[in-house]
Amino acid sequence: MKQKGWKELTPGAVILEPGNAVEFKTGSWRAFRPEWKEENCIQCLFCWLYCPDMAINVKDGKRAEFNYDYCKGCGICALECPGKKGQKAIVMVEEGK
Amino acid sequence: MARVVAVTGNEASAEALRQINPDVCAAYPITPQTDLMQRFSGFVSDGKVDTEVILVESEHSAMSACIGASAAGGRVVTATSSQGLALMWEMLFIAAGMRLPVVMPLVNRALSAPLNIHGDHSDSMGARDSGWIQLYSENAQEAYDNTIQAFRIAEHMDIRLPVMVCFDGFIISHSIERVEYLEDTEVKNFVGEYKQLYPLLDIDNPKSYGPLILPDLYMEYKRAQHEVMTKVKDVVLDVASEFKKLSKREYGLFEAYRLDDADIALVILSSAAGTAKDVIDEFRGRGIKAGLLKPRLFRPFPYEEVADTLKKVRAISVMDRADSFGGYGPLFMEISSALLHIKERPLLINKIYGLGGRDFLPGHAEMVLNELMEIVETGKFKTIKEYIGVRE
Ligand code: SF4
Ligand code: SF4
């Protein structure tokens, strides 16, 4: 992508296209990746509720896969996940492993 | 028809604000500004203006409220002094960086410590790099006129920057002087309707203010901000010439007083320029070619124009009512930068005077002018920076 020169900027850094955060993919910052173990999931949706980045998809009222484009790997979902009988449904694994 | 009144600088400035009737005013009291905002709040309580006054709990909040209201789409004012301006510091950069045309009378006052409520320029000089346009006023009339013109400059479509209208604490803010007021309708027509460029309240066109800009673009935004500053001079002159039609009073980037053929000159800001002009007249009466340059637009600084006006003068004393500890006075630094590219440039000295409201007396101006005459005769000077009116 060609970077803008100073003559092309809006005054005062105002952003005129609403909703453009969609283009700002934060997933590249991640050092750890959450992984979903569906067999341990009780569909409580705590992960969806707690995720600060809306990086957990919900389909038909049920928890679906992660949206890794926006997942920063903070691990909050894994921490909050109650899992089934003490077995977490989300585990953090090092990115690239 | 102009109304001639006897008022203080604060009163004149509040009157200008009444005539302009801004949408929002954030107010927090600080001496010697208190009486300005109090008078303006009086107009609000009496229904003379329909301004929304936001009473805040600090100057930091005052400037924050101004920023919010201005981004929303309002014509916005506040006023402050000294520590109040210092407390606004962080937000000053934000108002300028977001290109919000907030107008702020600044009743100049010394900065602590030691605590002092009287007038000097250490507050505004401290804020000179915040991206605000700065206008300085010699007396109550200029404070009034500059306040009215400030709105036109700030809100000009090519500019969109905040403007500080500086005038000396107590000396101007609290002394009663003769002032000519314009008619309410004249002021109203002069400032015109305000249109925000990107109002947040225009909900059909949503937008965001204040994004995070990392190294990939930050410098471009700063470069663009400097570019806007280079356009300010022309707008200031255009607004001044329109204002002249209305008021018969002339304003420029600075005032060149008896400078045409001057051998020696003072460069001096605000109220002390008035005192110095009397002394200049007296020297002229004795056949000595003395003159004075009184900057009006300090940010952006009109380097070329100042250099052009001063280049033929042989010796100049730049008078600073603020200090830069371990450096030369802030005005001196500007004047020496302005003259840097001139080969045969005047000899320059720097006098620090009037800190914390210390009187600037005709005798001081006389002393400095005598020293300049000596410098012209001998071609030599003793020291560059010196304090005057200070006990040894
Ligand atoms: S790791 Fe953090 S960002 Fe990623 S899905 Fe879990 S809570 Fe959301
Ligand atoms: S928090 Fe754990 S158990 Fe609950 S829905 Fe999310 S993955 Fe499933």
Side-chain angles (χ1 to χ4, degrees), chain A residues 29-70:
Chain A
W29 304 358
R30 193 170 53 227
F32 285 89
R33 186 175 69 247
E35 270 178 9
W36 186 34
K37 308 241 174 285
E38 202 176 343
E39 64 278 14
N40 295 335
C41 178
I42 57 167
Q43 293 297 344
C44 66
L45 294 186
F46 275 14
C47 53
W48 170 79
L49 189 68
Y50 278 103
C51 173
D53 276 284
M54 301 292 287
I56 290 161
N57 292 329
V58 170
K59 226 176 150 191
D60 305 326
K62 292 212 159 173
R63 196 235 196 264
E65 255 306 332
F66 289 101
N67 182 347
Y68 285 115
D69 277 348
Y70 302 101

Side-chain angles (χ1 to χ4, degrees), chain B residues 265-277:
Chain B
L266 302 178
V267 178
I268 194 161
L269 276 175
S270 296
S271 66
T275 311
K277 281 181 202 165

Side-chain angles (χ1 to χ4, degrees), chain B residues 193-238:
Chain B
E193 282 273 316
Y194 174 56
K195 267 211 175 75
Q196 160 65 302
L197 196 55
Y198 298 125
L200 271 175
L201 286 183
D202 170 13
I203 48 175
D204 294 331
N205 296 293
K207 55 194 73 70
S208 299
Y209 270 84
L212 169 76
I213 302 288
L214 294 172
D216 55 350
L217 269 178
Y218 182 84
M219 205 160 154
E220 279 67 26
Y221 277 107
K222 294 293 123 179
R223 174 67 186 85
Q225 216 177 316
H226 173 75
E227 189 66 15
V228 184
M229 276 294 203
T230 64
K231 296 182 185 153
V232 172
K233 278 191 300 199
D234 290 343
V235 172
V236 167
L237 291 174
D238 285 351

